């Protein structure tokens, strides 16, 4: 729903790359009426790492080549 906060976690990737992705994704919050929670504490802090019991709505992985996404529970 509009105004939602979506939790985001990472499977792999360097802390620098994760921070760059978080910064780019947060540009969407200016116009999308949505908030991304990357688990960072402070600007440039480490992003959340996905765990087995993680409840993040968005998971970003670097396991496969190229760009791809899964919807809902498929991820």
């Amino acid at each position: 729903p509009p105004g939602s906060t979506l939790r985001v976690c990472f499977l792999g990737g360097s802390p620098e790359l994760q921070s760059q992705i978080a910064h780019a994704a947060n540009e969407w919050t200016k116009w999308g009426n949505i908030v991304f929670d990357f688990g960072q504490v402070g600007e440039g802090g480490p992003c959340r790492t996905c765990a087995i019991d993680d409840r993040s709505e968005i998971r970003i992985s670097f396991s496969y080549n190229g760009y791809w996404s899964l919807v809902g529970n498929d991820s």
Side-chain angles (χ1 to χ4, degrees):
S4 294
T5 297
L6 298 175
R7 291 176 306 253
V8 183
C9 67
F10 285 91
L11 292 162
S14 70
E16 293 80 15
L17 178 58
Q18 293 174 3
S19 184
Q20 289 174 350
I21 291 170
H23 178 74
N26 280 323
E27 285 293 310
W28 297 346
T29 65
K30 294 177 182 176
W31 302 279
N33 194 15
I34 199 160
V35 175
F36 295 113
D37 173 5
F38 287 91
Q40 293 175 295
V41 177
E43 181 68 26
C47 293
R48 180 181 294 111
T49 299
C50 298
I52 292 173
D53 61 347
D54 194 276
R55 308 280 302 172
S56 293
E57 289 85 11
I58 300 174
R59 294 175 183 93
I60 300 174
S61 172
F62 303 94
S63 299
Y64 302 103
N65 291 330
Y67 304 97
W68 50 273
S69 64
L70 299 172
V71 178
N73 293 333
D74 290 340
S75 67

